[in-house]
PDB file of all heavy atoms in Angstrom:
ATOM      1  N   LYS A  68      93.894  20.007  21.055  1.00  0.00           N
ATOM      2  CA  LYS A  68      95.276  20.376  20.733  1.00  0.00           C
ATOM      3  C   LYS A  68      95.625  20.029  19.290  1.00  0.00           C
ATOM      4  O   LYS A  68      96.353  20.777  18.626  1.00  0.00           O
ATOM      5  CB  LYS A  68      96.230  19.690  21.707  1.00  0.00           C
ATOM      6  CG  LYS A  68      96.150  20.282  23.109  1.00  0.00           C
ATOM      7  CD  LYS A  68      97.028  19.544  24.111  1.00  0.00           C
ATOM      8  CE  LYS A  68      96.922  20.175  25.491  1.00  0.00           C
ATOM      9  NZ  LYS A  68      97.727  19.460  26.502  1.00  0.00           N
ATOM     10  N   ARG A  69      95.101  18.897  18.788  1.00  0.00           N
ATOM     11  CA  ARG A  69      95.378  18.544  17.389  1.00  0.00           C
ATOM     12  C   ARG A  69      94.755  19.539  16.422  1.00  0.00           C
ATOM     13  O   ARG A  69      95.252  19.723  15.308  1.00  0.00           O
ATOM     14  CB  ARG A  69      94.876  17.134  17.092  1.00  0.00           C
ATOM     15  CG  ARG A  69      95.767  16.055  17.673  1.00  0.00           C
ATOM     16  CD  ARG A  69      95.391  14.671  17.207  1.00  0.00           C
ATOM     17  NE  ARG A  69      96.340  13.682  17.707  1.00  0.00           N
ATOM     18  CZ  ARG A  69      96.245  12.379  17.494  1.00  0.00           C
ATOM     19  NH1 ARG A  69      95.234  11.894  16.794  1.00  0.00           N
ATOM     20  NH2 ARG A  69      97.152  11.558  17.980  1.00  0.00           N
ATOM     21  N   LEU A  70      93.676  20.194  16.851  1.00  0.00           N
ATOM     22  CA  LEU A  70      93.020  21.173  15.985  1.00  0.00           C
ATOM     23  C   LEU A  70      93.531  22.589  16.230  1.00  0.00           C
ATOM     24  O   LEU A  70      93.039  23.544  15.622  1.00  0.00           O
ATOM     25  CB  LEU A  70      91.498  21.133  16.198  1.00  0.00           C
ATOM     26  CG  LEU A  70      90.802  19.866  15.703  1.00  0.00           C
ATOM     27  CD1 LEU A  70      89.323  19.896  16.058  1.00  0.00           C
ATOM     28  CD2 LEU A  70      90.973  19.697  14.199  1.00  0.00           C
ATOM     29  N   GLY A  71      94.500  22.744  17.127  1.00  0.00           N
ATOM     30  CA  GLY A  71      95.126  24.047  17.332  1.00  0.00           C
ATOM     31  C   GLY A  71      94.466  24.928  18.359  1.00  0.00           C
ATOM     32  O   GLY A  71      94.776  26.127  18.443  1.00  0.00           O
ATOM     33  N   ALA A  72      93.557  24.400  19.177  1.00  0.00           N
ATOM     34  CA  ALA A  72      92.876  25.213  20.180  1.00  0.00           C
ATOM     35  C   ALA A  72      93.783  25.495  21.373  1.00  0.00           C
ATOM     36  O   ALA A  72      94.736  24.761  21.645  1.00  0.00           O
ATOM     37  CB  ALA A  72      91.609  24.501  20.665  1.00  0.00           C
ATOM     38  N   ASP A  73      93.484  26.590  22.090  1.00  0.00           N
ATOM     39  CA  ASP A  73      94.071  26.830  23.402  1.00  0.00           C
ATOM     40  C   ASP A  73      93.226  26.035  24.395  1.00  0.00           C
ATOM     41  O   ASP A  73      92.034  26.335  24.589  1.00  0.00           O
ATOM     42  CB  ASP A  73      94.036  28.316  23.762  1.00  0.00           C
ATOM     43  CG  ASP A  73      94.982  29.135  22.909  1.00  0.00           C
ATOM     44  OD1 ASP A  73      96.047  28.613  22.555  1.00  0.00           O
ATOM     45  OD2 ASP A  73      94.653  30.292  22.599  1.00  0.00           O
ATOM     46  N   VAL A  74      93.803  25.021  25.010  1.00  0.00           N
ATOM     47  CA  VAL A  74      93.046  24.094  25.841  1.00  0.00           C
ATOM     48  C   VAL A  74      93.411  24.279  27.312  1.00  0.00           C
ATOM     49  O   VAL A  74      94.587  24.280  27.672  1.00  0.00           O
ATOM     50  CB  VAL A  74      93.329  22.632  25.430  1.00  0.00           C
ATOM     51  CG1 VAL A  74      92.503  21.675  26.286  1.00  0.00           C
ATOM     52  CG2 VAL A  74      93.022  22.421  23.953  1.00  0.00           C
ATOM     53  N   MET A  75      92.388  24.460  28.140  1.00  0.00           N
ATOM     54  CA  MET A  75      92.583  24.563  29.578  1.00  0.00           C
ATOM     55  C   MET A  75      91.688  23.538  30.263  1.00  0.00           C
ATOM     56  O   MET A  75      90.479  23.510  30.033  1.00  0.00           O
ATOM     57  CB  MET A  75      92.233  25.961  30.090  1.00  0.00           C
ATOM     58  CG  MET A  75      92.429  26.113  31.602  1.00  0.00           C
ATOM     59  SD  MET A  75      92.090  27.786  32.218  1.00  0.00           S
ATOM     60  CE  MET A  75      90.308  27.810  32.140  1.00  0.00           C
ATOM     61  N   SER A  76      92.273  22.692  31.101  1.00  0.00           N
ATOM     62  CA  SER A  76      91.499  21.722  31.866  1.00  0.00           C
ATOM     63  C   SER A  76      91.486  22.159  33.329  1.00  0.00           C
ATOM     64  O   SER A  76      92.541  22.327  33.948  1.00  0.00           O
ATOM     65  CB  SER A  76      92.107  20.325  31.737  1.00  0.00           C
ATOM     66  OG  SER A  76      91.959  19.851  30.412  1.00  0.00           O
ATOM     67  N   MET A  77      90.286  22.357  33.862  1.00  0.00           N
ATOM     68  CA  MET A  77      90.137  22.851  35.223  1.00  0.00           C
ATOM     69  C   MET A  77      90.051  21.694  36.214  1.00  0.00           C
ATOM     70  O   MET A  77      89.366  20.698  35.952  1.00  0.00           O
ATOM     71  CB  MET A  77      88.891  23.726  35.338  1.00  0.00           C
ATOM     72  CG  MET A  77      88.945  24.983  34.501  1.00  0.00           C
ATOM     73  SD  MET A  77      87.480  26.020  34.718  1.00  0.00           S
ATOM     74  CE  MET A  77      87.599  26.403  36.468  1.00  0.00           C
ATOM     75  N   ALA A  78      90.730  21.833  37.339  1.00  0.00           N
ATOM     76  CA  ALA A  78      90.673  20.839  38.406  1.00  0.00           C
ATOM     77  C   ALA A  78      89.444  21.138  39.259  1.00  0.00           C
ATOM     78  O   ALA A  78      89.505  21.927  40.208  1.00  0.00           O
ATOM     79  CB  ALA A  78      91.950  20.890  39.251  1.00  0.00           C
ATOM     80  N   MET A  79      88.317  20.545  38.913  1.00  0.00           N
ATOM     81  CA  MET A  79      87.066  20.900  39.581  1.00  0.00           C
ATOM     82  C   MET A  79      87.043  20.456  41.043  1.00  0.00           C
ATOM     83  O   MET A  79      86.307  21.016  41.850  1.00  0.00           O
ATOM     84  CB  MET A  79      85.881  20.291  38.827  1.00  0.00           C
ATOM     85  CG  MET A  79      85.782  20.745  37.369  1.00  0.00           C
ATOM     86  SD  MET A  79      86.002  22.535  37.135  1.00  0.00           S
ATOM     87  CE  MET A  79      84.645  23.191  38.092  1.00  0.00           C
ATOM     88  N   GLY A  80      87.873  19.477  41.384  1.00  0.00           N
ATOM     89  CA  GLY A  80      87.942  19.058  42.776  1.00  0.00           C
ATOM     90  C   GLY A  80      88.463  20.162  43.684  1.00  0.00           C
ATOM     91  O   GLY A  80      88.182  20.192  44.876  1.00  0.00           O
ATOM     92  N   ALA A  81      89.233  21.090  43.105  1.00  0.00           N
ATOM     93  CA  ALA A  81      89.796  22.195  43.887  1.00  0.00           C
ATOM     94  C   ALA A  81      89.152  23.530  43.523  1.00  0.00           C
ATOM     95  O   ALA A  81      89.677  24.591  43.836  1.00  0.00           O
ATOM     96  CB  ALA A  81      91.310  22.267  43.640  1.00  0.00           C
ATOM     97  N   SER A  82      88.023  23.479  42.852  1.00  0.00           N
ATOM     98  CA  SER A  82      87.391  24.697  42.355  1.00  0.00           C
ATOM     99  C   SER A  82      86.592  25.406  43.442  1.00  0.00           C
ATOM    100  O   SER A  82      86.442  24.923  44.570  1.00  0.00           O
ATOM    101  CB  SER A  82      86.461  24.356  41.193  1.00  0.00           C
ATOM    102  OG  SER A  82      85.283  23.731  41.672  1.00  0.00           O
ATOM    103  N   SER A  83      86.027  26.551  43.057  1.00  0.00           N
ATOM    104  CA  SER A  83      85.229  27.340  43.996  1.00  0.00           C
ATOM    105  C   SER A  83      83.944  26.642  44.395  1.00  0.00           C
ATOM    106  O   SER A  83      83.299  27.037  45.370  1.00  0.00           O
ATOM    107  CB  SER A  83      84.905  28.711  43.378  1.00  0.00           C
ATOM    108  OG  SER A  83      86.085  29.462  43.206  1.00  0.00           O
ATOM    109  N   LEU A  84      83.544  25.611  43.647  1.00  0.00           N
ATOM    110  CA  LEU A  84      82.363  24.849  44.036  1.00  0.00           C
ATOM    111  C   LEU A  84      82.569  24.224  45.418  1.00  0.00           C
ATOM    112  O   LEU A  84      81.614  24.058  46.179  1.00  0.00           O
ATOM    113  CB  LEU A  84      82.063  23.753  43.006  1.00  0.00           C
ATOM    114  CG  LEU A  84      81.547  24.236  41.650  1.00  0.00           C
ATOM    115  CD1 LEU A  84      81.518  23.079  40.674  1.00  0.00           C
ATOM    116  CD2 LEU A  84      80.163  24.839  41.781  1.00  0.00           C
TER     117      LEU A  84
END
Side-chain angles (χ1 to χ4, degrees):
K68 289 176 180 178
R69 285 189 175 178
L70 291 176
D73 291 326
V74 181
M75 180 177 74
S76 292
M77 296 182 62
M79 301 314 299
S82 74
S83 294
L84 290 171

